[in-house]
Structure formats: structure tokens, C-alpha cells
Amino acid sequence: MWQNSPPGSIYDYIRVASFSIGPDGLIEQWSSRAAGLFGMTSTEAVGRDPVEAFMPAELRSDGHRRVGEILDGKEWTGLVPFRMPGEGGAHGVAEVYVMPSLTGQGERAALCIVVDVRALRRIETDLAASQAIFGQSPFGFVLFGTDFAVVRANQRFATVFGAPPHDHRGRTVEDYLPQAEADRLSATLKRVLETGESVTDLQLVGTAPGTTERRHWSMNLYRVHSGAGRPVGIAGLATDVTRRHIAAREAASARRNLALLNEASARIGNSLDLETTARELLDVAVPGFCDLAAVDLYQGLLTGEEAAPGSWAPAHRESAGGSAELRRVAHASAVADALPTAVAGSGPPGPDDLPPALGSVHRFPFGSPCAVALRSGRVEDVPGDEMGFVQSTLAVPMVAHDTVVGLVQFSRTKGSEPFGARDRALATELAARAAVCIDNARLYRREHERALILQRSLLPPGDPEAAGLDIACRYLPGNTATEVGGDWFDVIELPGHRTALVVGDVMGRGLRAAVAMGELRTAVRTLALLDLEPAEVLSALDEVARGLGSPGGGERSEGLGGRGGAQWPSRAAQKSREADLSEVYLATCVYAVYDPVTRRCTFANAGHMPPAVVEPGRPARLIDVPPGMPLGVGGEPFEEVEVELAENALLTLYTDGLVESRDQPLDEGLAALRAVLTGPQMELEDACDFVLSTLDTQHGEDDIALLMARIQGLPAEAVGDWTLPREPRSVGRARELARGQLLAWDLDDLVDTTELLVSELVTNALRYGEGEIRLRLLRDRTLVCEVWDAGLVQPRRRRARDTDEGGRGLQLVGLLSAAWGSRRTPRGKTVWFELALPDGEPAAELSVEQLLSMY
């Protein structure tokens, strides 16, 4: 087919021209290409002497000779300099081929073919460079034609895909790549050919001939044009980036692993609950690390056994039938309709070997990878499920402080990348971090339970009882994590149906404050049973508090003197003293003693919140009790205030956590408390809840102790009170009065015992006491008999000798009564005994041993 300027013609790249010389040596014909090469039109050139027109002056004589030889019929080829048009007279070099010719009249002429030597040299250089680049390139170089078949491939390309370079001519992309990748490359080649837009770093995946290894190539594509600008194909430069891809994948895996570890540090261990910590581990691992996961913890750890739940010792806690008992505490899945975990035992689960359910207790078979991992403390690979979707599983022991606390299984389904060495290391690290948190949670729970036992053992029972009082109480620890603190309250029964009410607050929080509180509470109970006045109790308690911070409970002050005179303390002694002073225990306390017979309450305060009282029909008020100094400060006496309380009045004792916080000044809190207490009257338990729910306590900042008591005095008919003269017949009179009162109370079963014991106490008052004698009987939950006199000598129980005629009265009182004792009063002493009210059963008689014990 004839066509103008065919694509890829040599004429698109080199400058070729022709002209003819007539018999007269002048230019006879001038082609268009000659006009372009020499810059002279046909009109200007025809009829001119070519030597004179184009050659330099110094070469013209030789040029005329050559033209003459040519016209004589001699061919000539050579290099001829010429002046270049439009380039300031610069000279070019042309390769001229002159062929003699004949005109129609038989005259000799010549046909000249002229080639620009500079263009030829450029083509030669370009061809050499192109061949060097194409042939010597370390990258695969391939040229596709416009039909997308290979036109040419270099040696490197042929080395990768086999066969010599010329054998690749005519192949298509389907001969090198899988169908999906081939279709993608074909579409890219078509787009590049149509648009002319280059494509860089096209990622392709395939396999080289004769191998199964996946290779990754990066390909750059660009359209190739002819000299006339027509597209003639697409050039491709392919680079094997498999190593770079592996390195990038490893770097991405390392970054992912680092991100997972950072996430694990932030998300695992936020709770001190074992099950929650296990779930936090799975929240991190699924789906970021694996598709399925499950956590099993030793049952002994969950039930609070003191012994370590597992260890690396191979035989430790393993039975012949398998591992020790574990409980499945968490599982997670990122795959729809998947089992909770991949593997339950040593192999793929069968119909009767399903993974343990959440919360179930199970054992792993002895030889299973999971049991081996628990015994060895090392990661074990678990075979995948050939019939299912699980590809691989890692059984990772959870090790904390050389103790195995459980097992976590990480599984990946088919289609996911199998676990590698990096994954095993990451799985071990994730399990170890969770194990440490779980072990910390175990230790916390153990200490927490111990602290709770301590705290609850130091507080009175939930429903304390007292004569003439209805009591309700609440304790809210400020530290909700440990539920222990330094606030306390107590209800202590005293002789004569009196009751001591105590509320205190050790400065500080946590276990230290709870321990100090326990010591102070024990001291309060001991002092209260001595039946001391409230101010005396606080004074003695202050001494106790001052000794709590010193080694051995002694005074914190140090003397500098010694046997050899004054001397400075050693440096060790100074440090010890500084440490002792840093352990100072300070506490506030209010101590009240309530007498249900008189409905009078005596208060003493050691730097504590003032008690509040609400009497029927009146607003709440604070009882003005001199606050005194906190316990542990020392040096200041405590004062007492006695208040008579109305029937059905509500007495409230509390700690500062109820009325004071960072956002609420103390005065506002006290005003709010009075307002709440003045509200409608309700049941005592409901009143406690109402106070706590209504006040803005900002709970969590401080402990709260609340003790509320409804005043219910003993009715007059429950009290028998008589004064007897100091004379012998008062003993008989006391028996008569006691008998008559008991018969009036329908306590006939207690008449004989009461008469005997009253007789003994009145006799002792006459023999060892002073002044007139007062006899009082109180009936409430028990029967109490009190004998008062003005003597200060306290009775002392002793064992009488065989020859003694007396001295056995108090022994008899101790044997027949439920309790007895004596206490000082402002004007003497009181000796009392207590008898249980009859329950319909006959009273127990004294045994022979008990009777003989008096002799």
C-alpha cells in the first residue's frame, strides 16, 4: 500500500535530499527536502553553480574539479562541507553520493543524493545508547506493540521468564501472569496506549516458570512514538520488588505489632477484675491479631485458693487424666457463625468434642498441645481443622512471676496469613501482659477480701440493739476500690441498760487507716466496759492514739539523757524518730452514753462533728458539745455535756464525709443536714437512706459513717427504785421489795434467785459501804438489779478459805447471774447483776462442781 510518510520510516529520523546537475554543471532540479536541508528554495537554487552556492571559497577549486569528473561519467561518494541556512554562516557536513546520468539528448548530467551527517551521527549514538540501555539494563525491559504483543525483550526479562530474548517476540501478558493479574495489566496497557499517560509502580504478582514462589514486580509503562509523533507501542520497565515487598510487609507487621502492644498497654489491666482483664485481652487481639481467641484461667485462681494456680513444673497440679481444672472466662470471634475458639483439645473438634462454653469448667487432655503448653510454659502450635475453616492456632500459657495462671488460644482462619515467628513472640508478649494484670487482680482481690474481713469485723453488726433505742447505721467507704477506710461507729451495751454510742474518723484512707481504726475501736470497747465517764474514755483513748505511731506503742517523745548524762541522739535514732513522727495517728471521735431510765445522754467530743438531734415538732439542731482536740494530739482535757432527750427524738452521729467536700463548705453541709433531718418523720432505716440520697455528699472523696438512734426511754412501770436506810433490817426490806416488783412483772421464776442475790449485795453495802443504800430494778430485754452506796471501795471477788464463814457472796452472784460488775459513780459506786428473762423452760440448777467451787 502506498502512503505518505509511513510510520517508522527512516526519513522521519534522518535528513535526506536530492538534486540534479545539468550538462553545464548548474543545478537543474531541486527537491523539497533539498530546500529544507540547505535553506534555499527551488527558484533560488535552479540555474546556480552548486559549488559556488554551497561550498566555502577555499574548497571551490577542488569542487569544480570534482564536478567535472562527475560530468565525465565518474561516480563519487564523499563528505562535503556546506554552509547551513539560518545558523550565522555555520558549516555543516553532508555525505554526498553522485551518480552520473544522461539527458534525453544524450548529454552527460548527474544525480546527487545528500544526507546530513550530523543526523546520522545522532542516530548512531542513539542506537548505541538504546542498545546499551536495553541490553545491559539490570531491570526487565519489554516493548509491547500496539496489539499488546511483545515486540522486543531484553536479556534480564528473558532470564526471569526463561527462553532467549528473541523467543518472547509475539507473546502476550497471559503468558507471564495469572489471569486476574494479566487482565489488570492488559487494561493498563490499553489505557496507556490510548491516553499517553504514563503509569508508575504498577504492582503485579505472579510466579516465575518452574517455581511456586510468589514474586512481586513493580512495572513502569509509557507510550513510545515514531519520529512523526505516531504511537508505535508501549515500553515497560519491570523491577523485581519481592524482597522489598517482604521487607515492607515485615516492617508493616512490626508496626502493627508495636501498635498492638501499645494498645495492649493502654487497654489491658484497666480493671482489677479477672474476667474483665481477660476480655480486655481479647478486645485487643481480635481482629487486629487473630480471627478467634479464647482465655481459660485456672479454677483455683478464680475461687481464691492461696496456692499458686499453676507453675512450670511439669507435674505440678496435673492429673493423670489431663490438666488441672480451668474455666473459660472469655472468648471472641471476628468470623460470622464461627465457634468461640478454634481448638479445645489435641486435634480438630469432632461432633462430641466441641469447645468449652463460656463459664464452663473443663480439663485439657494430658497429651494435647494446650496441656503441654500449661506444663512447659512455652507456646505450642495446635493443628488446624482440615475439615473446617481454622488454619492455625497458638496455645500460649499466661505466665506471671514464673506462675502459669491460665491459657489463651489465638486462631486464624483459612485465607488469613499463618502465624510466624514474629506472631509467636507477639502472642507471648500479649499473654504475658495480660497474665501480669490478672495476677495483680488476683493479689488485689485477695488483699481486698482480707481488708473487707478486717473492716467488717471491726464494725458492729447490721442491726445493733440497745435498751431504749432504735438504731440504724450506714458505712460508705470513700475508696470504692478497696471498700476500707478509717471511719467507724459502734454501739456498746453498758451496765444498767445504758448504751454507749461512738462515731470516729481516723485521718487518712485505705488499709492503714482501717488498721488504726480497728485499734482505736478495740480500745474504745475496752474503756467503755470499764464504765468510765465519756470524758475519761476520750482522755484514755487519746493516750492510746498517741502511742499507735511509735514502735511498741510507747510515747513518741525521746529523752536525750542517759546514765552518763545528756547526749545527742544518734543519726539512726533521729531517722527512727522522724519515721515515728510520720506515722502519727490522728482521729476525731464523739462518745455518748445514753441512760434509757432518765432519757439523758452525756456527750464528749474529740474534734468531731457535733451531734444532731430532732425532737418531735421542732427543727433539727446541733448539740453544742465542746469539740476538744483530735485524738493523738494530747495535752488538752475533754469536757462533757449532758442533754435530756425527748421521747421519739432522733439522734444523729456522723463523720465529716457526710457534710463536707471540696465543693461544699462545712457550714453549708451542716445546714443541709439540719434541713434534711427536719423533714417528714419516717422509719429509721428509710431515714438513713433518705439522708444519704438527699445530701450532696460527693461520695468517693471521703468515708461516710452515719449512726441514727430513735429515743425510746424505759417506761416508768419497767423501773423499780427504792432508797433504804443504813441498818440491818434493810436487807429483809430489799428482799421484800424485789419480790413484790418481780411478782408485779410476772417474773415469778426469778424471784428466788433475785432475792438471794439482792440480799448478798445489800449485805455487802451495809458491811463495806457508806451512807444510805439505793436499790433499783430495771426490766427490758433482761432484768438488771443495781445496789448503790456512797463507799468508794470496789468489791473484789475472791476464793474463800475452808475455815472462812463468809467471802462467798460474790462467787454466788457470779454463778447465778448472767453478768455482774461494779462501777464508780460521782458519789460512790454501783454493784449490779443481770439475769436473763425466763423463756418458759425451767431454770438450770447449779451443778455440784459449781457449788463446790465456792469452797
Side-chain angles (χ1 to χ4, degrees), residues 88-107:
H91 289 254
V93 177
E95 185 175 18
V96 181
Y97 179 57
V98 182
M99 297 171 290
S101 64
L102 295 175
T103 65
Q105 292 78 23
E107 297 177 313

Side-chain angles (χ1 to χ4, degrees), residues 22 47 99 218 268 344 383 445 507 510 520 524 535 613 681 709 729 766:
M99 297 171 290
S218 171
I268 299 177
R445 184 168 68 179
M507 296 182 184
L520 292 177
V524 170
V613 64
Q681 186 171 348
R729 62 177 182 177
L766 288 173

Side-chain angles (χ1 to χ4, degrees), residues 270-315:
N270 294 321
S271 170
L272 288 174
D273 179 75
L274 299 175
E275 291 82 355
T276 301
T277 301
R279 288 193 295 270
E280 290 170 347
L281 168 61
L282 300 193
D283 289 342
V284 173
V286 179
F289 176 68
C290 61
D291 302 314
L292 306 168
V295 176
D296 299 290
L297 298 180
Y298 276 110
Q299 178 71 355
L301 180 145
L302 296 168
T303 55
E305 289 184 8
E306 289 295 325
S311 78
W312 289 2

